[in-house]
Amino acid sequence: MNKIVRRFIAGTLTLGLAALSITGCGSAKNGTESAQAGESKKVYRTLDEIKESGTINIGVFSDKNPFGYVDENGEYQGYDVYLAERLGKDLGVEINYVSTEAASRVEYLETGKVDIVLANFTVTEERAEKVDFALPYMNVALGVVSHDDNVIEDLSQITADDQVIVISGTTAETYLEKEYPDIKLQKFDTYATAKTAFENGTGVAWANDNTEVIAYAKENAGYVVGIPSLGSQDTIAPAVSKGNSSLLDWINGEIESLGKENFFHADYEATLIDTYGADYEETLVVEGGKVE
Amino acid sequence: MEEILSVQNLCKKYDELVVLDGIDLSIKKGEVVVIVGPSGCGKSTFLRCLNGLEDIQDGKVIHDGEVINPCSGKLNKVREKIGMVFQSYELFPHKTVLQNMLLAPLKVKKADKKQSEKEALELLDRVGLLSKKNNYPRQLSGGQKQRVAIMRALMMQPDILLLDEITAALDPEMVREVLDVVISLAKEGRTMVIVTHEMSFARAVADRMIFFDEGRIVEEGSPEEFFVHPKTERLQKFLQSFSYAR
Amino acid sequence: MDTEVILSYLPRYIEAFFLTIRIGFIGIGISLVLGVIVAFLIHFRIPVLGKIAGVYIELFRNTPLLVQLFFLYFGLPKIGISIPANVCGALGLGLLGGSYMAEGFRSGLDSVPASQTESALALGMTRKQLFINVILPEAFALSVPATVANVIFLLKETSVFSAISLMDLMFTAKDLIGLYYNTTEALCMLVAFYIIMLVPVSVIGNIVEKKVRFKMLGA
Amino acid sequence: MGFEVLFKGNNLIRLFEGLLAALRISFISVIISIFCGLIVGTLMTQENRVIRVITRGYLEFIRIMPQMVLLFIVYFGTTKALGINMSAETSSIIVFSLWGTAEMADLVRGALTSIPAIQYESSYSLGLTSAQTYVYVIIPQIIRRMLPLSINLITRMIKTTSLVMMIGIVEVLKVGQQIIEANRKSSPNAAFGVFATIFFLYFIVCWPISLLSKYLEKKWEN
């Protein structure tokens, strides 16, 4: 019998070791949170430090067309990147793009590995606790597209065993999790897989930014945007590390001055127009950080 | 002849099991001592205590004025002077015969490569295995491997050579090849302590015979006394177990 | 480390835990059956089937599960076969696992000493009796350590299930972090649930290894 | 079917660059793992119980811990806790080396225990120290047995490097997703062509490696 006991001890030993690591990584995080709040240990780079260093690290998506993606020549393109290029030019520094994932956006800021995140980052209260959002530069509302033989015009139509397809880390997911927790969601981590699953009919509907679903219905026959706009208007804004006020203020000033030259409309026309068409320009673009 | 190795009141125990119960033995330079006895009498363990492969619970083994202590760091220095060849004739499988021979002299004695190589080739020639110098152990027979193992031990010019039942795992015709080598070493005046079951060989090569039983030396003597007029009854019974009559 | 957050995440982790276990062990079951068959085909060099088994092993050992799952879940419907995500996950795991288990069993079969086979034949046993009573048990005993390592490896491979929308442990953590950014809590719970899932497997694996080795080989 | 996307611009080159990133991390990590694995594996066979329990605990811990968590701890955790700002590639090499060392140590332990005690004893009785015994007699023998298995470790490592996209490294799978996304409108079904190519790329890299390990296994089997 003592063999079993010894084995059990070895097992609990590993548990102990692992628990050690948890408290280890736990304390590491707590350490910084309290420090962050106490401003004692600065993780981020201030505006001047960025200028001195000559380069700015900007976290963007590399696989979210048309907001942040990489074209066939390996260049970063998209609505977010267009703004990033301008911020870099006005700051007079080189831009170093960092490819981020939805789940790592905040970690990058909390460790100062990027200075700004421009990755289709929807403003929510939870996220505002972790990072500081600058003025918004785009509106986003949700939409739901469904097959034309079973058009979903109201979320109440969705029965218990129906599934709604969403992409993990998007505003649609956050909204449905909070407002309609009992709707069963089928979550995918990329646009391509979500789209293919929807076409294969594994979900009755697909909830995403309304611009996405409208563009999708326009390009593909057999699909109708039953719900063109869902829930309140959310906004997308640049984010910086918590407490990095020097950089935050500069960005806000920059967004306001860009508003005067109608920059964001130009950005829309340069990057989004061929996907979403002209008639969405007004509803989508937030010019100069002012939301109507 | 001057004493080269002295064993004083050697005791060896595995927890409660007593394997060697107070052995006293003195070995002279150039002497060939052969140890025989029933299996499990502790003769092989005794040999392994001499070069520190086994730790000892009591008593001392003194070589060249130095006490052999298995836990001391300098053990490998002692082992340079006490060579040993085992029953399973395992050579280093990933090295050729010649490399097997040269490893210890070059790495331990830091000897000159050319000189050691010349010596190795001489030794191999002596046992008729010169042609096999670049072969791998797997290409050799048991008897050939054992002869190389003996020569490998000799490369270190040990003061004493311990042979632990080196023919036990060999086919009959190979036993002859190996024992002829040992006899030639004895003629040269090599000091050797040999544990074996080959009685006729023991009689031919030994200067002194020792009979071990249940961890003690029961009888000791020259080959004639030992084989022709055994004194103790236990030795007589042991010797009879080797003769057959219809 | 905010316990209120942990409590709110708990139900999702528990659900994901059972999904991972359920699909994981079905997949492992498939991989065991497949592994034995493939190892048998290769070891005894059955014509044609043996070759196909060899290709199968090389194909599935040298490509990532994520890509295999992609074709199973998204490719097949394009040619009319649509499989629900959990079946697809178990099948993908089974196919990948089968190639690893086959390698483990094959090395087990190879290391059964020839003397065992000869002595059994010498006793007049037929080839079938020989295989079932001598070779299989001994090969199984020899391959237990590899099999245990494969089980742990496969349970961790479930972390690619997010590609086909299966809410396994890893996807739950990534999803929660993406939503609320409580990274510490999400990751620590992920580690805790992996421990609860894998430590027993490792401990039981060691016990089985010791028991089987002792019973079979007496050493 | 989506293959045409690959020939636009330097997509194909980017895929190869992504593959190169994955290979570089795997190869460096494997070399470190072989070296450290030998040491940790040897420690695992020492009589000293404390060393054995620690190394055993390390092995179980790394085997159970999901690699993504390790990546987060090493890449983000170290900056938060100690203020060190490590590059993504260094962090991933550290994590994959930690994992590789654990797997390698287990292989070494298995190989060491299968070497008959006589090899150690005949080496000691020739006067070689235990260090010399390990370096000249034991390790050369287990290397022959271990190298094929450690080569298998390379293929397993290459296949799991896709995780590093979580800390910003653009490897082959990430490049694939970028290409699919970038051509979302122009070729909606690009995913199949791209994933088929990635499937092929992984295969032509990993298959020869596993063939090499089988060849070595046969050659040194005697």
Side-chain angles (χ1 to χ4, degrees):
Chain A
M1 246 331 261
N2 67 8
K3 257 207 208 97
I4 310 284
V5 169
R6 224 175 331 108
R7 280 267 64 73
F8 189 70
I9 293 167
T12 33
L13 176 88
T14 358
L15 262 175
L17 259 176
L20 218 84
S21 82
I22 296 176
T23 43
C25 79
S27 62
K29 294 283 166 51
N30 285 355
T32 23
E33 254 141 33
S34 53
Q36 198 97 31
E39 294 296 344
S40 61
K41 191 148 71 56
K42 179 169 79 61
V43 174
Y44 51 83
R45 297 193 306 168
T46 62
L47 187 63
D48 309 331
E49 280 161 358
I50 295 171
K51 279 197 184 136
E52 266 151 47
S53 76
T55 56
I56 185 166
N57 303 319
I58 302 182
V60 289
F61 280 136
S62 64
D63 59 357
K64 285 283 182 298
N65 191 353
F67 298 101
Y69 65 95
V70 177
D71 66 17
E72 60 268 17
N73 309 321
E75 298 303 327
Y76 276 88
Q77 302 289 356
Y79 187 71
D80 297 340
V81 174
Y82 191 91
L83 171 60
E85 289 292 329
R86 183 55 187 275
L87 292 182
K89 197 155 68 61
D90 291 356
L91 253 179
V93 288
E94 290 294 317
I95 302 172
N96 164 34
Y97 286 112
V98 175
S99 156
T100 63
E101 299 299 315
S104 56
R105 284 179 291 195
V106 167
E107 282 301 309
Y108 273 107
L109 288 173
E110 278 186 348
T111 54
K113 287 189 188 277
V114 292
D115 304 306
I116 310 174
V117 161
L118 275 168
N120 205 264
F121 211 174
T122 310
V123 181
T124 67
E125 307 88 26
E126 290 95 358
R127 292 172 181 172
E129 282 157 29
K130 305 274 178 177
V131 293
D132 286 346
F133 284 106
L135 291 173
Y137 61 98
M138 201 176 111
N139 280 322
V140 65
L142 303 180
V144 177
V145 59
S146 40
H147 299 260
D148 53 13
D149 53 9
N150 168 17
V151 178
I152 308 284
E153 264 136 22
D154 185 288
L155 289 182
S156 55
Q157 280 173 263
I158 294 175
T159 62
D161 51 25
D162 283 340
Q163 280 195 333
V164 171
I165 292 174
V166 287
I167 299 168
S168 166
T170 58
T171 324
E173 184 201 20
T174 332
Y175 177 78
L176 289 175
E177 289 271 344
K178 204 145 70 151
E179 307 299 335
Y180 295 84
D182 45 22
I183 291 185
K184 256 171 72 193
L185 301 177
Q186 186 181 29
K187 299 182 179 179
F188 290 91
D189 46 17
T190 64
Y191 176 89
T193 45
K195 173 175 84 69
T196 323
F198 177 61
E199 282 158 2
N200 294 345
T202 57
V204 290
W206 176 13
N208 202 348
D209 299 353
N210 57 1
T211 46
E212 297 274 353
V213 291
I214 291 156
Y216 176 78
K218 221 164 74 169
E219 288 145 22
N220 303 283
Y223 301 98
V224 168
V225 178
I227 312 171
S229 172
L230 186 66
S232 60
Q233 286 283 54
D234 283 326
T235 57
I236 291 186
V240 295
S241 312
K242 198 94 181 123
N244 191 353
S245 43
S246 63
L247 183 57
L248 188 65
D249 302 341
W250 180 79
I251 296 176
N252 287 335
E254 179 73 6
I255 290 178
E256 268 148 16
S257 70
L258 286 177
K260 293 193 186 64
E261 59 176 83
N262 228 350
F263 169 82
F264 290 98
H265 281 78
D267 185 354
Y268 182 90
E269 276 134 29
T271 56
L272 301 185
I273 199 140
D274 55 2
T275 314
Y276 304 133
D279 44 15
Y280 274 92
E281 187 165 345
E282 287 322 315
T283 48
L284 266 181
V285 170
V286 172
E287 197 57 70
K290 287 188 293 304
V291 180
E292 280 82 36
Chain B
M1 282 189 279
E2 156 236 3
E3 186 196 57
I4 192 165
L5 184 80
S6 115
V7 178
Q8 293 155 9
N9 185 22
L10 176 72
C11 293
K12 169 74 183 175
K13 286 201 283 305
Y14 290 116
D15 309 331
E16 296 77 29
L17 173 63
V18 175
V19 176
L20 293 169
D21 188 3
I23 305 282
D24 291 293
L25 188 62
S26 156
I27 295 168
K28 304 286 179 294
K29 190 165 175 36
E31 190 184 20
V32 176
V33 174
V34 176
I35 301 173
V36 293
S39 62
C41 68
K43 51 188 187 301
S44 282
T45 318
F46 172 68
L47 224 53
R48 294 162 67 88
C49 293
L50 296 188
N51 82 337
L53 281 180
E54 297 285 347
D55 54 10
I56 47 179
Q57 276 63 43
D58 200 352
K60 286 203 294 292
V61 178
I62 301 169
H63 164 68
D64 228 355
E66 250 182 83
V67 176
I68 296 175
N69 163 4
C71 331
S72 81
K74 316 195 286 322
L75 198 57
N76 65 311
K77 280 281 157 281
V78 167
R79 287 186 182 136
E80 273 178 55
K81 304 206 192 69
I82 302 180
M84 184 162 182
V85 185
F86 298 86
Q87 171 179 337
S88 79
Y89 31 80
E90 282 305 326
L91 298 173
F92 303 138
H94 59 300
K95 289 189 179 299
T96 64
V97 166
L98 187 57
Q99 285 164 350
N100 260 277
M101 307 266 294
L102 293 177
L103 176 67
L106 296 184
K107 298 301 169 193
V108 178
K109 283 183 124 83
K110 307 277 186 294
D112 154 57
K113 190 166 191 318
K114 231 180 264 54
Q115 172 58 19
S116 311
E117 210 159 294
K118 202 163 74 57
E119 268 166 47
L121 296 178
E122 269 160 35
L123 285 174
L124 282 177
D125 188 25
R126 210 177 119 185
V127 288
L129 291 173
L130 188 56
S131 60
K132 301 280 181 186
K133 65 179 166 64
N134 293 329
N135 291 60
Y136 280 91
R138 62 180 177 281
Q139 298 157 321
L140 272 64
S141 73
Q144 289 167 330
K145 279 196 258 189
Q146 196 63 298
R147 279 183 279 157
V148 171
I150 297 171
M151 291 306 128
R152 178 174 70 175
L154 288 181
M155 282 296 287
M156 296 302 284
Q157 284 104 27
D159 301 343
I160 304 176
L161 194 58
L162 310 180
L163 304 180
D164 183 3
E165 291 188 44
I166 58 174
T167 54
L170 295 178
D171 314 336
E173 83 282 358
M174 292 185 197
V175 172
R176 185 82 218 180
E177 300 164 13
V178 173
L179 295 186
D180 285 344
V181 169
V182 178
I183 288 171
S184 69
L185 294 179
K187 281 206 191 73
E188 265 175 26
R190 286 268 173 206
T191 318
M192 288 193 279
V193 181
I194 303 171
V195 166
T196 185
H197 289 288
E198 304 287 342
M199 285 307 151
S200 54
F201 159 73
R203 188 165 180 166
V205 80
D207 296 328
R208 185 159 41 123
M209 289 298 298
I210 296 176
F211 175 54
F212 262 57
D213 195 8
E214 281 153 11
R216 269 193 223 86
I217 297 183
V218 173
E219 190 171 336
E220 200 180 319
S222 72
E224 285 68 39
E225 291 153 12
F226 194 90
F227 285 100
V228 178
H229 326 286
K231 298 189 196 64
T232 57
E233 197 237 340
R234 283 209 323 245
L235 177 56
Q236 286 152 11
K237 221 146 103 295
F238 174 72
L239 289 175
Q240 265 147 25
S241 67
F242 283 90
S243 57
Y244 293 89
R246 259 179 61 89
Chain C
M1 196 73 93
D2 163 353
T3 48
E4 187 216 299
V5 166
I6 289 182
L7 289 177
S8 69
Y9 288 174
L10 207 51
R12 293 167 69 125
Y13 268 101
I14 291 172
E15 197 192 329
F17 176 77
F18 285 114
L19 178 133
T20 309
I21 294 268
R22 200 174 65 250
I23 297 181
F25 279 103
I26 296 171
I28 286 166
I30 299 172
S31 71
L32 285 170
V33 170
L34 209 52
V36 170
I37 296 168
V38 166
F40 176 86
L41 289 177
I42 290 180
H43 183 70
F44 291 97
R45 287 183 186 69
I46 314 284
V48 180
L49 280 180
K51 277 278 161 291
I52 298 170
V55 168
Y56 155 72
I57 284 192
E58 286 311 327
L59 209 56
F60 279 85
R61 267 174 72 85
N62 293 315
T63 49
L65 177 60
L66 180 70
V67 180
Q68 294 159 14
L69 280 181
F70 177 83
F71 283 104
L72 278 174
Y73 188 71
F74 297 105
L76 290 182
K78 295 291 182 218
I79 47 171
I81 317 157
S82 72
I83 315 170
N86 41 26
V87 171
C88 193
L91 196 59
L93 213 57
L95 286 170
L96 172 77
S99 68
Y100 277 89
M101 293 294 183
E103 280 294 302
F105 291 137
R106 196 175 55 77
S107 65
L109 280 170
D110 292 349
S111 50
V112 170
S115 56
Q116 300 278 0
T117 344
E118 282 137 18
S119 50
L121 285 174
L123 292 168
M125 287 163 91
T126 66
R127 283 199 71 79
K128 197 158 102 24
Q129 284 167 334
L130 160 74
F131 184 71
I132 292 166
N133 305 321
V134 175
I135 295 179
L136 206 55
E138 196 151 330
F140 171 72
L142 290 168
S143 51
V144 161
T147 312
V148 169
N150 283 342
V151 167
I152 293 178
F153 162 73
L154 287 172
L155 283 175
K156 274 176 76 175
E157 277 290 308
T158 56
S159 58
V160 296
F161 279 2
S162 56
I164 54 170
S165 83
L166 281 175
M167 194 44 89
D168 75 297
L169 284 170
M170 184 72 81
F171 194 17
T172 310
K174 269 200 288 189
D175 191 41
L176 287 171
I177 296 171
L179 287 167
Y180 311 112
Y181 287 102
N182 293 315
T183 315
T184 319
E185 290 79 1
L187 287 188
C188 292
M189 290 178 82
L190 177 69
V191 168
F193 275 91
Y194 261 93
I195 288 173
I196 297 166
M197 180 167 75
L198 294 178
V199 165
V201 171
S202 170
V203 167
I204 293 167
N206 285 339
I207 296 169
V208 166
E209 183 189 334
K210 294 276 184 323
K211 265 215 173 44
V212 163
R213 180 140 48 83
F214 189 73
K215 191 160 70 65
M216 279 297 163
L217 313 174
Chain D
M1 251 298 281
F3 284 102
E4 76 286 355
V5 216
L6 292 164
F7 305 105
K8 286 166 85 178
N10 49 20
N11 281 349
L12 213 50
I13 299 158
R14 283 173 51 218
L15 263 180
F16 282 114
E17 273 161 14
L19 191 62
L20 204 63
L23 290 181
R24 196 175 41 243
I25 293 174
S26 312
F27 273 101
I28 296 174
S29 305
V30 159
I31 289 160
I32 296 173
S33 303
I34 289 179
F35 184 68
C36 301
L38 273 173
I39 296 166
V40 174
T42 321
L43 286 179
M44 268 183 168
T45 55
Q46 298 307 311
E47 289 80 22
N48 176 328
R49 220 172 136 47
V50 173
I51 297 179
R52 238 198 345 234
V53 166
I54 293 172
T55 43
R56 185 79 203 187
Y58 161 71
L59 173 70
E60 296 288 339
F61 171 69
I62 292 284
R63 234 187 204 168
I64 282 160
M65 192 67 135
Q67 266 120 349
M68 190 194 94
V69 175
L70 282 177
L71 278 173
F72 262 58
I73 289 176
V74 170
Y75 186 59
F76 295 116
T78 46
T79 323
K80 288 192 177 158
L82 323 163
I84 318 159
N85 202 341
M86 236 186 267
S87 82
E89 197 166 272
T90 332
S91 319
S92 48
I93 287 174
I94 289 171
V95 169
F96 279 101
S97 299
L98 277 174
W99 173 55
T101 303
E103 294 284 336
M104 192 53 75
D106 205 32
L107 291 178
V108 166
R109 183 179 55 82
L112 281 179
T113 39
S114 66
I115 300 273
I118 194 71
Q119 289 291 320
Y120 293 86
E121 283 176 355
S122 42
S123 173
Y124 290 150
S125 65
L126 283 167
L128 289 154
T129 64
S130 65
Q132 285 170 327
T133 303
Y134 270 108
V135 171
Y136 298 112
V137 175
I138 304 300
I139 288 180
Q141 286 186 54
I142 60 169
I143 285 278
R144 294 162 159 272
R145 202 165 305 184
M146 267 233 311
L147 213 53
L149 295 171
S150 51
I151 288 174
N152 272 341
L153 186 61
I154 300 177
T155 52
R156 273 174 60 189
M157 218 175 249
I158 292 172
K159 288 197 304 178
T160 44
T161 44
S162 54
L163 260 175
V164 295
M165 74 170 82
M166 289 306 294
I167 57 171
I169 296 177
V170 179
E171 42 70 61
V172 52
L173 211 57
K174 190 72 206 169
V175 171
Q177 283 168 350
Q178 287 171 356
I179 295 172
I180 296 168
E181 270 296 302
N183 302 280
R184 208 167 65 160
K185 268 171 51 52
S186 52
S187 42
N189 281 327
F192 295 96
V194 170
F195 271 114
T197 316
I198 289 176
F199 186 92
F200 176 67
L201 277 179
Y202 269 107
F203 189 74
I204 54 164
V205 166
C206 295
W207 188 44
I209 293 175
S210 61
L211 279 185
L212 173 66
S213 101
K214 280 206 175 52
Y215 168 73
L216 285 178
E217 223 171 308
K218 286 276 173 305
K219 195 158 90 66
W220 287 340
E221 201 167 14
N222 35 43

